[in-house]
């Protein structure tokens, strides 16, 4: 642990008593060392695993290269400016705070980087026949430099936390983040973009806990769980909480083995096993009146999926697709979650399936779509559909004739009919009532298909 005094050390101080000529030996090594450090950090620190892909990798590589470059610059010129490195490290500390991570991740990354650097230095020393005393001095300089970097990161972290230095936060919260990071990484493509194998996919998509393909927990999870005395369960249930309520109203950590991350912008919990009625009776009062969504019970390796579905359900309540309730279970809304999971794709499917109706006016199209959705979901008689739509049965029969004339072949094909029903259900969930004419429209004669004398209420 770095003491506060480390933050006041001069930034332009040389990293160690190293000969300036050594810089010329170090410069050619930097690109390869930086790449190796990024790979090692991504593999050894689960929270950083997702950063190995896409733009995040570029950012991580830039940070590593900047710190290495400044180190070599200080070897070449102990009076070299460190302003760019200092600003970068403080930004890293602020980023860790904003992402809800503690400094333990950066500290681990620094230790790994130092090991990689020393390993490379040993090889270079052998190649150039450098004396052992110089390698020892190099090691001292590396660790001193890592201390300075850590103190700079801590300054940014404390600033972002409003002056609170709680880098040594709850180990149980860190355990929860490790579990989620590990289960999310399991769904990422393998080397060269290869998809996960069938055993991996089965283990991470809700396979029974007893299935042989169930993925084992990450060693870091097992180690930390043993340290905090948390028995690693085979199955877990994630709970998404609505942000905004005062943290002191929540009394969740330690409740029946629950892990909680309440500092996350989207707070959440992990409950070992299922949340049955008995456990809900204990967990409910601990929520302090906060709205919660109970995710699907999954193997530990599927924790990230359970949380994603719970958060999606919470979002559907916020947008009015699902009714507002204090506690909601994902299990009660799996079809809705599926149908609303990709709005753009649902829109595309609806555009394709309803293309034959494009020549109609907006009002005609909406009325026929409303009737078609009712028929597909109920398969009722004209009288039954008329009651559901608040129409006259003859109006329903007229609309059905128009639909069969326009979509006849499509409605006769089982696959096309199923695709149309899915598209209309998804659109109806996203725009509740949008396809239904305004109240009183029929009574005012806005139904062009039928004479007024045949219209229902």
């Amino acid at each position: 642990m770095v003491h506060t005094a480390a933050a006041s050390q001069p930034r332009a101080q040389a990293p160690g008593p190293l000969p300036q000529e050594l810089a010329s030996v170090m410069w050619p090594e930097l690109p390869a060392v930086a790449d190796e450090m990024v790979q090692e950090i991504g593999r050894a620190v689960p929270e950083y695993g997702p950063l190995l892909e896409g733009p995040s990798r570029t950012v991580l590589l830039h940070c590593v290269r900047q710190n290495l470059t400044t180190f070599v610059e200080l070897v070449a010129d102990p009076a070299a400016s460190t302003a760019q490195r200092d600003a970068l490290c403080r930004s890293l500390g602020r980023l860790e705070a904003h992402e809800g991570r503690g400094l333990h991740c950066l500290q681990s990354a620094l230790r790994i980087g130092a090991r990689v650097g020393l390993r490379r230095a040993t090889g270079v020393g052998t190649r150039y026949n450098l004396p052992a005393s110089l390698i020892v001095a190099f090691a001292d300089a590396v660790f001193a430099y890592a201390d300075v970097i850590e103190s700079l990161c801590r300054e940014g972290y404390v600033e972002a936390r409003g002056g609170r230095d709680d880098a040594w936060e709850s180990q149980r919260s860190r355990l929860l983040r490790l579990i989620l990071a590990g289960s999310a990484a399991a769904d990422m493509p393998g080397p060269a973009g290869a998809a996960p194998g069938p055993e991996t996919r089965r283990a991470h998509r809700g396979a029974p806990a007893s299935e042989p393909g169930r993925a084992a927990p990450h060693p870091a999870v097992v180690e930390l769980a043993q340290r905090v005395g948390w028995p690693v369960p085979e199955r877990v249930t994630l709970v998404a909480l609505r942000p905004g309520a005062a943290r002191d109203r929540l009394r969740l950590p330690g409740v029946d083995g629950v892990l909680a991350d309440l500092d996350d912008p989207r707070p959440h919990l992990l409950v070992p096993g299922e949340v049955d009625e008995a456990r809900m009776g204990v967990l409910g009062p601990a929520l302090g009146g906060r709205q919660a969504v109970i995710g699907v019970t999954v193997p530990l390796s599927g924790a990230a999926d359970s949380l994603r579905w719970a958060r999606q359900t919470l979002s559907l309540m916020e947008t009015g697709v699902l009714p507002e309730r204090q506690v909601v279970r994902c299990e009660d809304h799996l079809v809705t979650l599926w149908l609303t999971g990709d709005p753009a794709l649902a829109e595309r499917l609806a555009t394709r399936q309803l293309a034959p109706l494009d020549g109609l006016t907006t009002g005609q199209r909406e009325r026929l779509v409303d009737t078609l959705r009712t028929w597909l979901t109920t398969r009722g008689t004209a009288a039954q559909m008329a009651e559901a739509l608040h129409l006259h049965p003859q109006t329903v029969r007229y609309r059905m004739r128009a639909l069969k004339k326009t979509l006849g072949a499509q409605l006769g094909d089982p696959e096309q009919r199923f695709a149309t029903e899915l598209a209309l259900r998804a659109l109806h969930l996203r725009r509740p009532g949008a396809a239904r004419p305004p109240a009183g429209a029929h009574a005012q004669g806005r139904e062009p298909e039928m004479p007024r004398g045949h219209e229902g209420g």
Side-chain angles (χ1 to χ4, degrees):
M1 180 175 179
V2 178
H3 298 289
T4 308
S8 62
Q9 293 177 354
R11 301 290 179 239
Q13 202 172 45
L18 300 176
Q20 295 176 325
E21 296 79 9
L22 185 61
S24 60
V25 177
M26 298 167 64
W27 283 122
E29 305 293 329
L30 292 193
V33 172
D35 284 335
E36 187 177 351
M37 285 182 177
V38 168
Q39 288 296 331
E40 288 284 343
I41 290 170
R43 280 196 293 264
V45 185
E47 290 93 336
Y48 290 158
L51 301 183
L52 291 179
E53 302 294 332
S56 297
R57 176 185 171 83
T58 303
V59 174
L60 181 59
L61 191 58
H62 168 73
C63 294
V64 172
R65 285 175 175 171
Q66 179 59 56
N67 281 303
L68 289 176
T69 297
T70 302
F71 178 86
V72 180
E73 287 175 345
L74 289 172
V75 172
D77 178 11
S81 171
T82 63
Q84 190 172 356
R85 178 210 62 188
D86 295 357
L88 174 65
C89 290
R90 292 190 182 99
S91 296
L92 286 174
R94 287 192 290 269
L95 178 63
E96 292 300 278
H98 293 153
E99 291 292 323
R101 293 187 288 261
L103 283 179
H104 55 269
C105 296
L106 272 174
Q107 291 162 342
S108 297
L110 286 172
R111 287 194 297 269
I112 292 166
R115 286 201 299 268
V116 171
L118 293 177
R119 191 164 62 226
R120 178 59 64 98
T122 302
V124 171
T126 302
R127 191 191 321 154
Y128 286 92
N129 294 318
L130 298 179
S133 59
L134 181 57
I135 301 301
V136 172
F138 180 83
D140 289 341
V142 167
F143 288 117
Y145 188 72
D147 284 346
V148 173
I149 292 177
E150 184 180 351
S151 69
L152 288 165
C153 292
R154 183 181 295 279
E155 289 177 15
Y157 184 89
V158 172
E159 175 190 344
R161 301 287 293 187
R164 295 184 294 115
D165 186 1
D166 53 358
W168 302 102
E169 59 193 22
S170 168
Q171 292 296 293
R172 293 170 69 89
S173 294
R174 185 195 173 202
L175 177 59
L176 174 53
R177 287 193 293 274
L178 285 174
I179 291 170
L180 292 173
S183 59
D187 282 333
M188 295 175 61
E199 293 296 320
T200 302
R201 286 197 300 270
R202 195 159 56 240
H204 293 281
R205 291 299 179 201
S210 59
E211 185 174 342
R214 186 175 64 85
H218 192 283
V221 170
V222 176
E223 178 185 353
L224 185 54
Q226 291 175 344
R227 194 184 312 158
V228 301
W230 189 74
V232 179
E234 288 191 344
R235 298 177 70 78
V236 295
T237 305
L238 275 293
V239 180
L241 301 175
R242 185 185 290 277
R247 174 177 174 143
D248 56 10
R249 295 177 58 194
L250 300 170
R251 304 177 298 279
L252 294 163
V255 177
D256 195 21
V258 170
L259 301 179
D261 192 345
L262 305 179
D263 287 330
D264 191 282
R266 295 185 294 171
H268 50 278
L269 321 170
L270 181 149
V271 181
E274 297 185 11
V275 181
D276 53 21
E277 292 305 319
R279 180 167 287 178
M280 195 63 228
V282 176
L283 188 61
L287 293 173
R290 195 172 201 168
Q291 193 174 41
V293 175
I294 311 298
V296 178
T297 302
V298 295
L300 183 67
S301 56
D305 281 338
S306 181
L307 180 58
R308 175 166 54 86
W309 296 328
R311 285 174 170 168
Q312 185 181 347
T313 303
L314 191 60
S315 176
L316 292 177
M317 284 197 292
E318 293 171 349
T319 56
V321 175
L322 293 177
E324 289 274 352
R325 291 176 184 158
Q326 183 180 347
V327 178
V328 175
R329 292 181 178 271
C330 282
E331 284 285 359
D332 298 335
H333 304 284
L334 294 183
V335 173
T336 299
L337 287 172
W338 179 48
L339 291 175
T340 57
D342 193 334
L345 185 59
E347 191 76 45
R348 176 59 191 162
L349 180 62
T351 298
R352 188 191 73 179
Q353 298 303 115
L354 302 179
L357 304 180
D358 287 347
L360 303 177
T361 67
T362 301
Q364 291 172 334
R365 190 175 190 274
E366 288 181 348
R367 285 187 283 272
L368 287 182
V369 165
D370 200 24
T371 303
L372 177 59
R373 183 181 61 80
T374 303
W375 177 72
L376 287 170
T377 55
T378 67
R379 298 296 197 274
T381 64
Q384 292 169 331
M385 292 172 60
E387 183 177 357
L389 292 168
H390 306 291
L391 295 174
H392 191 283
Q394 193 64 10
T395 302
V396 173
R397 294 189 187 96
Y398 185 93
R399 291 185 184 180
M400 288 304 301
R401 285 197 295 271
L403 285 168
K404 289 176 182 177
K405 180 179 178 180
T406 309
L407 303 172
Q410 184 173 316
L411 297 181
D413 182 89
E415 290 191 6
Q416 289 293 318
R417 190 168 61 242
F418 179 63
T420 302
E421 181 178 352
L422 287 180
L424 294 182
R425 281 176 177 260
L427 290 181
H428 184 69
L429 286 169
R430 290 171 49 216
R431 301 194 296 264
R436 191 179 298 281
H442 308 304
Q444 297 173 25
R446 298 178 189 173
E447 178 76 54
E449 296 97 338
M450 293 299 301
R452 295 181 186 175
H454 293 284
E455 293 171 5

